[in-house]
Amino acid sequence: ACDSLRGGMGRSRNLIALAILVIASRAAADPTPSELQAARDLFDKAVADEDAGRWKDALDKMKRAGSVKMTPGIRFHIALAEEKSGQLVAALADYTAAEQAAKAEKNREVVDLVSEPLKSLRARVPVLTINVPDGAGTEVVLDGKALPVGLYG
């Protein structure tokens, strides 16, 4: 009887742990209304920084807004601020990510917005093809910064 009770308690603990993980992942994935409003406010302030040519300030605010909920539009603005700040490789990566996310969400506005900057940056940014063997934990570092996986191969 004790063994079956222990087995039942173990299953109960496992179910409770699973429920906590599901709730925690849902909480991390779904920002609260106040978090979303704070992100919108940051976005608006970042656009004002863009209009004033304060690209580093805009970039910081856009990244903070994106930490609440990353959208193709926010990713586009991050790329724009990176480009204007001279971070061309990062901008190319983020424009590419914005394009992919926008296509996945069928967001035609962002797809149209990224086409010209992508074309321009692809012409300006030197290309080096790095063939990386498949394997977990492989990392490519350029100028001391890890490159996003989609940029090499």
Side-chain angles (χ1 to χ4, degrees):
C2 284
D3 287 338
S4 65
L5 181 60
R6 266 186 286 228
M9 288 175 61
R11 280 190 293 276
S12 294
R13 268 186 260 153
N14 289 343
L15 288 174
I16 290 169
L18 180 62
I20 289 170
L21 286 174
V22 168
I23 290 167
S25 68
R26 230 183 249 150
D30 297 330
T32 66
S34 63
E35 290 170 329
L36 288 173
Q37 186 57 52
R40 284 186 201 102
D41 293 342
L42 273 172
F43 180 87
D44 291 341
K45 290 175 183 175
V47 169
D49 285 338
E50 287 177 357
D51 292 342
R54 294 186 300 264
W55 296 106
K56 289 183 182 183
D57 293 337
L59 179 58
D60 175 62
K61 289 177 180 84
M62 285 295 174
K63 285 182 175 182
R64 289 175 22 219
S67 72
V68 174
K69 182 174 182 180
M70 186 59 71
T71 66
I74 289 176
R75 181 71 73 189
F76 168 81
H77 282 275
I78 287 171
L80 177 64
E82 289 168 337
E83 179 183 9
K84 297 297 184 177
S85 298
Q87 301 172 37
L88 302 185
V89 173
L92 182 57
D94 281 317
Y95 279 131
T96 301
E99 179 185 52
Q100 291 170 347
K103 285 180 177 178
E105 293 181 14
K106 296 180 180 22
N107 183 332
R108 193 79 214 147
E109 181 182 358
V110 174
V111 170
D112 291 344
L113 281 172
V114 299
S115 73
E116 187 56 39
L118 275 172
K119 181 180 175 185
S120 172
L121 279 178
R122 286 179 178 142
R124 292 173 59 201
V125 175
V127 176
L128 171 68
T129 301
I130 302 170
N131 293 314
V132 180
D134 290 336
T138 301
E139 183 177 56
V140 176
V141 178
L142 176 66
D143 296 332
K145 296 181 182 176
L147 292 178
V149 175
L151 285 182
Y152 57 84

